[in-house]
């Protein structure tokens, strides 16, 4: 099995097939360099202020990590609501819900000397699986070139199809990709950050999308309250969760103009 690479004009059906088969796929050069640099600049002060707040054995001690980028880095909305990303979320999540939401938006800067992150799955935040249903699809954006040496994300191909790793030693591949590219990986895919053996940090942004009837990983209404959500278009407000799922799940009348009614 090999990690599939596509250009940004990829036919959606080909990308969907690769994701179904291996659980992960890279699309190169999706976002222009200028937009990526604007996002990185908007995220910088938060990295410097709060990047170390989440240090622990899992996140690492030489890795900065910031959450909820829509709170302070508005240009990241272009990545979060990118049409190609939403097309894949439509394909994998919409068959199982009426609408989906963002779970988390996390900036990750791996510094020189950081080791491999333990391999893990992102959908383990939900305490069950239902065969045939993806709970989450995740996207890692390369905010700089991702190389073998600087800690490109490691993914275990096919791991979305395996329930139990006790008998196997998973063998990851690295999602080497140029700045502005993205790695899709499904919720049950084993993955983790790589070790950084270079002299410069590796910056990425992970956005997760989950079925609309699941609780969002991050409490988006505290992270991006109505007065901040108002700056975003309807697509982003829907992704944040300022709308119902179906006729009544998550209904509210207090969010005023930010609320999206017509679902
Ligand atoms: O930084 C990476 O490449 C992956 C990080 C990750 O998977 C995580 O922190 O959950």
């Amino acid at each position: 099995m090999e990690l599939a690479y596509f250009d940004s004009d990829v036919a959606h059906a080909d990308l969907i097939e690769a994701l179904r088969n291996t659980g992960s796929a890279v699309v190169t050069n999706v976002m222009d360099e200028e937009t990526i640099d604007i996002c990185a600049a908007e995220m910088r002060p938060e990295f410097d202020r709060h990047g170390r707040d989440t240090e622990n054995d899992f996140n690492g001690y030489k890795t900065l990590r910031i959450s909820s980028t829509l709170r302070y880095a508005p240009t990241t909305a272009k990545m979060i609501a990118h049409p190609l990303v939403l097309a894949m979320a439509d394909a994998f999540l919409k068959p199982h819900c009426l609408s989906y939401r963002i779970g988390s938006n996390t900036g990750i800067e791996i510094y020189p000397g950081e080791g491999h992150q333990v391999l893990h799955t992102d959908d383990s935040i939900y305490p069950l699986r239902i065969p045939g249903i993806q709970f989450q699809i995740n996207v890692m954006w390369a905010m700089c070139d991702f190389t073998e040496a600087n800690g490109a994300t490691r993914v275990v191909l096919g791991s979305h199809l395996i329930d139990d790793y006790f008998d196997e030693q998973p063998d990851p591949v690295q999602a080497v990709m140029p700045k502005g590219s993205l790695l899709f990986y499904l919720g049950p895919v084993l993955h983790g950050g790589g070790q950084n053996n270079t002299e410069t940090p590796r910056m990425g942004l992970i956005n997760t999308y989950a079925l609309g009837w699941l609780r969002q990983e991050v409490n988006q209404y505290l992270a991006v309250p109505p007065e901040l959500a108002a700056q975003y278009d309807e697509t982003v407000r829907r992704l944040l969760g300022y709308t119902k799922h179906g006729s009544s799940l998550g209904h509210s009348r207090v969010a005023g103009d930010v609320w999206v009614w017509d679902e």
Side-chain angles (χ1 to χ4, degrees), residues 2-6 12-26 92 157 160 186:
E2 284 186 6
L3 181 58
Y5 280 78
F6 297 98
H12 291 179
D14 293 344
L15 187 50
I16 290 166
E17 191 188 350
L19 283 169
R20 286 213 173 106
N21 290 339
T22 65
S24 315
V26 169
F92 283 90
L157 299 174
H160 62 311
L186 301 179

PDB file of all heavy atoms in Angstrom, residues 2-6 12-26 92 157 160 186:
ATOM      1  N   GLU A   2       0.509   2.236  -0.794  1.00  0.00           N
ATOM      2  CA  GLU A   2       1.301   3.473  -0.829  1.00  0.00           C
ATOM      3  C   GLU A   2       0.419   4.660  -0.521  1.00  0.00           C
ATOM      4  O   GLU A   2      -0.779   4.631  -0.820  1.00  0.00           O
ATOM      5  CB  GLU A   2       1.906   3.666  -2.214  1.00  0.00           C
ATOM      6  CG  GLU A   2       3.088   2.773  -2.455  1.00  0.00           C
ATOM      7  CD  GLU A   2       3.769   3.066  -3.781  1.00  0.00           C
ATOM      8  OE1 GLU A   2       3.369   4.055  -4.453  1.00  0.00           O
ATOM      9  OE2 GLU A   2       4.672   2.313  -4.133  1.00  0.00           O
ATOM     10  N   LEU A   3       1.016   5.700   0.041  1.00  0.00           N
ATOM     11  CA  LEU A   3       0.261   6.926   0.271  1.00  0.00           C
ATOM     12  C   LEU A   3      -0.012   7.565  -1.091  1.00  0.00           C
ATOM     13  O   LEU A   3       0.916   7.799  -1.870  1.00  0.00           O
ATOM     14  CB  LEU A   3       1.067   7.865   1.175  1.00  0.00           C
ATOM     15  CG  LEU A   3       0.412   9.186   1.548  1.00  0.00           C
ATOM     16  CD1 LEU A   3      -0.925   8.968   2.264  1.00  0.00           C
ATOM     17  CD2 LEU A   3       1.350  10.010   2.443  1.00  0.00           C
ATOM     18  N   ALA A   4      -1.290   7.841  -1.361  1.00  0.00           N
ATOM     19  CA  ALA A   4      -1.670   8.400  -2.668  1.00  0.00           C
ATOM     20  C   ALA A   4      -1.442   9.911  -2.668  1.00  0.00           C
ATOM     21  O   ALA A   4      -1.753  10.599  -1.692  1.00  0.00           O
ATOM     22  CB  ALA A   4      -3.139   8.089  -2.953  1.00  0.00           C
ATOM     23  N   TYR A   5      -0.896  10.413  -3.780  1.00  0.00           N
ATOM     24  CA  TYR A   5      -0.683  11.845  -3.975  1.00  0.00           C
ATOM     25  C   TYR A   5      -1.498  12.308  -5.176  1.00  0.00           C
ATOM     26  O   TYR A   5      -1.527  11.637  -6.203  1.00  0.00           O
ATOM     27  CB  TYR A   5       0.802  12.128  -4.243  1.00  0.00           C
ATOM     28  CG  TYR A   5       1.637  12.161  -2.989  1.00  0.00           C
ATOM     29  CD1 TYR A   5       2.026  10.984  -2.374  1.00  0.00           C
ATOM     30  CD2 TYR A   5       2.020  13.381  -2.437  1.00  0.00           C
ATOM     31  CE1 TYR A   5       2.785  11.005  -1.216  1.00  0.00           C
ATOM     32  CE2 TYR A   5       2.790  13.416  -1.271  1.00  0.00           C
ATOM     33  CZ  TYR A   5       3.164  12.230  -0.667  1.00  0.00           C
ATOM     34  OH  TYR A   5       3.905  12.260   0.485  1.00  0.00           O
ATOM     35  N   PHE A   6      -2.143  13.474  -5.021  1.00  0.00           N
ATOM     36  CA  PHE A   6      -2.937  14.037  -6.111  1.00  0.00           C
ATOM     37  C   PHE A   6      -2.596  15.515  -6.262  1.00  0.00           C
ATOM     38  O   PHE A   6      -2.175  16.175  -5.311  1.00  0.00           O
ATOM     39  CB  PHE A   6      -4.439  13.919  -5.798  1.00  0.00           C
ATOM     40  CG  PHE A   6      -4.923  12.502  -5.668  1.00  0.00           C
ATOM     41  CD1 PHE A   6      -5.069  11.912  -4.416  1.00  0.00           C
ATOM     42  CD2 PHE A   6      -5.227  11.748  -6.795  1.00  0.00           C
ATOM     43  CE1 PHE A   6      -5.517  10.606  -4.294  1.00  0.00           C
ATOM     44  CE2 PHE A   6      -5.677  10.440  -6.676  1.00  0.00           C
ATOM     45  CZ  PHE A   6      -5.822   9.872  -5.422  1.00  0.00           C
ATOM     46  N   HIS A  12     -12.801  14.285  -7.682  1.00  0.00           N
ATOM     47  CA  HIS A  12     -13.237  13.919  -6.334  1.00  0.00           C
ATOM     48  C   HIS A  12     -13.371  12.410  -6.175  1.00  0.00           C
ATOM     49  O   HIS A  12     -13.024  11.841  -5.136  1.00  0.00           O
ATOM     50  CB  HIS A  12     -14.561  14.609  -5.996  1.00  0.00           C
ATOM     51  CG  HIS A  12     -14.404  16.088  -5.829  1.00  0.00           C
ATOM     52  ND1 HIS A  12     -15.440  16.933  -5.544  1.00  0.00           N
ATOM     53  CD2 HIS A  12     -13.307  16.886  -5.916  1.00  0.00           C
ATOM     54  CE1 HIS A  12     -14.992  18.164  -5.471  1.00  0.00           C
ATOM     55  NE2 HIS A  12     -13.710  18.165  -5.704  1.00  0.00           N
ATOM     56  N   ALA A  13     -13.869  11.752  -7.219  1.00  0.00           N
ATOM     57  CA  ALA A  13     -14.078  10.297  -7.118  1.00  0.00           C
ATOM     58  C   ALA A  13     -12.758   9.561  -6.875  1.00  0.00           C
ATOM     59  O   ALA A  13     -12.716   8.574  -6.130  1.00  0.00           O
ATOM     60  CB  ALA A  13     -14.737   9.788  -8.397  1.00  0.00           C
ATOM     61  N   ASP A  14     -11.663  10.044  -7.485  1.00  0.00           N
ATOM     62  CA  ASP A  14     -10.362   9.381  -7.297  1.00  0.00           C
ATOM     63  C   ASP A  14      -9.865   9.555  -5.868  1.00  0.00           C
ATOM     64  O   ASP A  14      -9.313   8.629  -5.258  1.00  0.00           O
ATOM     65  CB  ASP A  14      -9.324   9.968  -8.271  1.00  0.00           C
ATOM     66  CG  ASP A  14      -9.653   9.636  -9.716  1.00  0.00           C
ATOM     67  OD1 ASP A  14     -10.484   8.724  -9.936  1.00  0.00           O
ATOM     68  OD2 ASP A  14      -9.097  10.295 -10.618  1.00  0.00           O
ATOM     69  N   LEU A  15     -10.069  10.757  -5.330  1.00  0.00           N
ATOM     70  CA  LEU A  15      -9.638  11.033  -3.958  1.00  0.00           C
ATOM     71  C   LEU A  15     -10.459  10.198  -2.964  1.00  0.00           C
ATOM     72  O   LEU A  15      -9.917   9.613  -2.014  1.00  0.00           O
ATOM     73  CB  LEU A  15      -9.803  12.544  -3.703  1.00  0.00           C
ATOM     74  CG  LEU A  15      -9.287  13.125  -2.413  1.00  0.00           C
ATOM     75  CD1 LEU A  15      -7.851  12.717  -2.117  1.00  0.00           C
ATOM     76  CD2 LEU A  15      -9.392  14.658  -2.467  1.00  0.00           C
ATOM     77  N   ILE A  16     -11.746  10.132  -3.196  1.00  0.00           N
ATOM     78  CA  ILE A  16     -12.624   9.342  -2.317  1.00  0.00           C
ATOM     79  C   ILE A  16     -12.197   7.873  -2.333  1.00  0.00           C
ATOM     80  O   ILE A  16     -12.104   7.226  -1.289  1.00  0.00           O
ATOM     81  CB  ILE A  16     -14.104   9.495  -2.767  1.00  0.00           C
ATOM     82  CG1 ILE A  16     -14.598  10.911  -2.475  1.00  0.00           C
ATOM     83  CG2 ILE A  16     -15.006   8.462  -2.082  1.00  0.00           C
ATOM     84  CD1 ILE A  16     -15.905  11.275  -3.176  1.00  0.00           C
ATOM     85  N   GLU A  17     -11.900   7.381  -3.522  1.00  0.00           N
ATOM     86  CA  GLU A  17     -11.490   5.971  -3.616  1.00  0.00           C
ATOM     87  C   GLU A  17     -10.190   5.724  -2.848  1.00  0.00           C
ATOM     88  O   GLU A  17     -10.063   4.737  -2.113  1.00  0.00           O
ATOM     89  CB  GLU A  17     -11.314   5.578  -5.088  1.00  0.00           C
ATOM     90  CG  GLU A  17     -11.149   4.087  -5.250  1.00  0.00           C
ATOM     91  CD  GLU A  17     -10.783   3.694  -6.681  1.00  0.00           C
ATOM     92  OE1 GLU A  17     -10.839   4.547  -7.587  1.00  0.00           O
ATOM     93  OE2 GLU A  17     -10.427   2.512  -6.866  1.00  0.00           O
ATOM     94  N   ALA A  18      -9.233   6.632  -2.987  1.00  0.00           N
ATOM     95  CA  ALA A  18      -7.963   6.467  -2.271  1.00  0.00           C
ATOM     96  C   ALA A  18      -8.200   6.503  -0.759  1.00  0.00           C
ATOM     97  O   ALA A  18      -7.626   5.705  -0.007  1.00  0.00           O
ATOM     98  CB  ALA A  18      -6.989   7.568  -2.679  1.00  0.00           C
ATOM     99  N   LEU A  19      -9.055   7.409  -0.309  1.00  0.00           N
ATOM    100  CA  LEU A  19      -9.326   7.504   1.129  1.00  0.00           C
ATOM    101  C   LEU A  19     -10.048   6.258   1.628  1.00  0.00           C
ATOM    102  O   LEU A  19      -9.766   5.771   2.727  1.00  0.00           O
ATOM    103  CB  LEU A  19     -10.144   8.763   1.427  1.00  0.00           C
ATOM    104  CG  LEU A  19      -9.336  10.062   1.407  1.00  0.00           C
ATOM    105  CD1 LEU A  19     -10.247  11.286   1.432  1.00  0.00           C
ATOM    106  CD2 LEU A  19      -8.386  10.106   2.599  1.00  0.00           C
ATOM    107  N   ARG A  20     -10.947   5.752   0.825  1.00  0.00           N
ATOM    108  CA  ARG A  20     -11.647   4.507   1.231  1.00  0.00           C
ATOM    109  C   ARG A  20     -10.653   3.353   1.340  1.00  0.00           C
ATOM    110  O   ARG A  20     -10.731   2.542   2.246  1.00  0.00           O
ATOM    111  CB  ARG A  20     -12.706   4.124   0.197  1.00  0.00           C
ATOM    112  CG  ARG A  20     -13.910   5.010   0.263  1.00  0.00           C
ATOM    113  CD  ARG A  20     -15.206   4.272  -0.099  1.00  0.00           C
ATOM    114  NE  ARG A  20     -16.327   5.160   0.152  1.00  0.00           N
ATOM    115  CZ  ARG A  20     -17.025   5.768  -0.798  1.00  0.00           C
ATOM    116  NH1 ARG A  20     -16.762   5.541  -2.057  1.00  0.00           N
ATOM    117  NH2 ARG A  20     -18.006   6.586  -0.464  1.00  0.00           N
ATOM    118  N   ASN A  21      -9.695   3.299   0.405  1.00  0.00           N
ATOM    119  CA  ASN A  21      -8.776   2.151   0.366  1.00  0.00           C
ATOM    120  C   ASN A  21      -7.701   2.222   1.435  1.00  0.00           C
ATOM    121  O   ASN A  21      -7.384   1.222   2.071  1.00  0.00           O
ATOM    122  CB  ASN A  21      -8.096   2.065  -1.000  1.00  0.00           C
ATOM    123  CG  ASN A  21      -9.076   1.642  -2.075  1.00  0.00           C
ATOM    124  OD1 ASN A  21     -10.118   1.051  -1.768  1.00  0.00           O
ATOM    125  ND2 ASN A  21      -8.771   1.966  -3.314  1.00  0.00           N
ATOM    126  N   THR A  22      -7.103   3.399   1.607  1.00  0.00           N
ATOM    127  CA  THR A  22      -5.931   3.469   2.501  1.00  0.00           C
ATOM    128  C   THR A  22      -6.178   4.330   3.735  1.00  0.00           C
ATOM    129  O   THR A  22      -5.366   4.318   4.655  1.00  0.00           O
ATOM    130  CB  THR A  22      -4.704   4.042   1.764  1.00  0.00           C
ATOM    131  OG1 THR A  22      -4.976   5.396   1.396  1.00  0.00           O
ATOM    132  CG2 THR A  22      -4.376   3.234   0.524  1.00  0.00           C
ATOM    133  N   GLY A  23      -7.261   5.115   3.749  1.00  0.00           N
ATOM    134  CA  GLY A  23      -7.581   5.944   4.920  1.00  0.00           C
ATOM    135  C   GLY A  23      -6.946   7.313   4.898  1.00  0.00           C
ATOM    136  O   GLY A  23      -7.333   8.194   5.668  1.00  0.00           O
ATOM    137  N   SER A  24      -5.940   7.525   4.022  1.00  0.00           N
ATOM    138  CA  SER A  24      -5.208   8.795   3.981  1.00  0.00           C
ATOM    139  C   SER A  24      -4.876   9.131   2.529  1.00  0.00           C
ATOM    140  O   SER A  24      -4.741   8.228   1.707  1.00  0.00           O
ATOM    141  CB  SER A  24      -3.870   8.698   4.717  1.00  0.00           C
ATOM    142  OG  SER A  24      -3.992   8.050   5.937  1.00  0.00           O
ATOM    143  N   ALA A  25      -4.706  10.411   2.255  1.00  0.00           N
ATOM    144  CA  ALA A  25      -4.244  10.828   0.924  1.00  0.00           C
ATOM    145  C   ALA A  25      -3.759  12.264   1.003  1.00  0.00           C
ATOM    146  O   ALA A  25      -4.261  13.056   1.818  1.00  0.00           O
ATOM    147  CB  ALA A  25      -5.376  10.720  -0.107  1.00  0.00           C
ATOM    148  N   VAL A  26      -2.785  12.582   0.159  1.00  0.00           N
ATOM    149  CA  VAL A  26      -2.228  13.938   0.101  1.00  0.00           C
ATOM    150  C   VAL A  26      -2.716  14.623  -1.167  1.00  0.00           C
ATOM    151  O   VAL A  26      -2.766  13.996  -2.230  1.00  0.00           O
ATOM    152  CB  VAL A  26      -0.678  13.884   0.096  1.00  0.00           C
ATOM    153  CG1 VAL A  26      -0.080  15.254  -0.229  1.00  0.00           C
ATOM    154  CG2 VAL A  26      -0.158  13.371   1.436  1.00  0.00           C
ATOM    155  N   PHE A  92     -17.835  11.678   3.027  1.00  0.00           N
ATOM    156  CA  PHE A  92     -17.661  10.681   4.087  1.00  0.00           C
ATOM    157  C   PHE A  92     -18.637  10.870   5.256  1.00  0.00           C
ATOM    158  O   PHE A  92     -18.941   9.894   5.959  1.00  0.00           O
ATOM    159  CB  PHE A  92     -16.205  10.699   4.586  1.00  0.00           C
ATOM    160  CG  PHE A  92     -15.296   9.999   3.626  1.00  0.00           C
ATOM    161  CD1 PHE A  92     -14.677  10.702   2.591  1.00  0.00           C
ATOM    162  CD2 PHE A  92     -15.104   8.627   3.701  1.00  0.00           C
ATOM    163  CE1 PHE A  92     -13.876  10.041   1.665  1.00  0.00           C
ATOM    164  CE2 PHE A  92     -14.305   7.965   2.787  1.00  0.00           C
ATOM    165  CZ  PHE A  92     -13.691   8.676   1.762  1.00  0.00           C
ATOM    166  N   LEU A 157      -1.074   3.364   6.802  1.00  0.00           N
ATOM    167  CA  LEU A 157      -2.017   3.126   5.701  1.00  0.00           C
ATOM    168  C   LEU A 157      -2.866   1.896   5.987  1.00  0.00           C
ATOM    169  O   LEU A 157      -2.357   0.873   6.473  1.00  0.00           O
ATOM    170  CB  LEU A 157      -1.239   2.952   4.393  1.00  0.00           C
ATOM    171  CG  LEU A 157      -0.406   4.173   4.005  1.00  0.00           C
ATOM    172  CD1 LEU A 157       0.448   3.877   2.775  1.00  0.00           C
ATOM    173  CD2 LEU A 157      -1.299   5.391   3.764  1.00  0.00           C
ATOM    174  N   HIS A 160      -7.491   2.327   9.129  1.00  0.00           N
ATOM    175  CA  HIS A 160      -8.916   2.581   9.378  1.00  0.00           C
ATOM    176  C   HIS A 160      -9.736   1.299   9.279  1.00  0.00           C
ATOM    177  O   HIS A 160     -10.894   1.271   9.666  1.00  0.00           O
ATOM    178  CB  HIS A 160      -9.445   3.625   8.389  1.00  0.00           C
ATOM    179  CG  HIS A 160      -9.365   3.220   6.950  1.00  0.00           C
ATOM    180  ND1 HIS A 160      -8.222   2.705   6.373  1.00  0.00           N
ATOM    181  CD2 HIS A 160     -10.304   3.229   5.970  1.00  0.00           C
ATOM    182  CE1 HIS A 160      -8.446   2.420   5.105  1.00  0.00           C
ATOM    183  NE2 HIS A 160      -9.705   2.737   4.840  1.00  0.00           N
ATOM    184  N   LEU A 186      -8.824   9.728   7.718  1.00  0.00           N
ATOM    185  CA  LEU A 186     -10.107   9.430   8.338  1.00  0.00           C
ATOM    186  C   LEU A 186      -9.937   9.264   9.847  1.00  0.00           C
ATOM    187  O   LEU A 186      -8.833   8.980  10.334  1.00  0.00           O
ATOM    188  CB  LEU A 186     -10.709   8.167   7.721  1.00  0.00           C
ATOM    189  CG  LEU A 186     -10.937   8.230   6.200  1.00  0.00           C
ATOM    190  CD1 LEU A 186     -11.505   6.904   5.693  1.00  0.00           C
ATOM    191  CD2 LEU A 186     -11.860   9.387   5.819  1.00  0.00           C
TER     192      LEU A 186
END
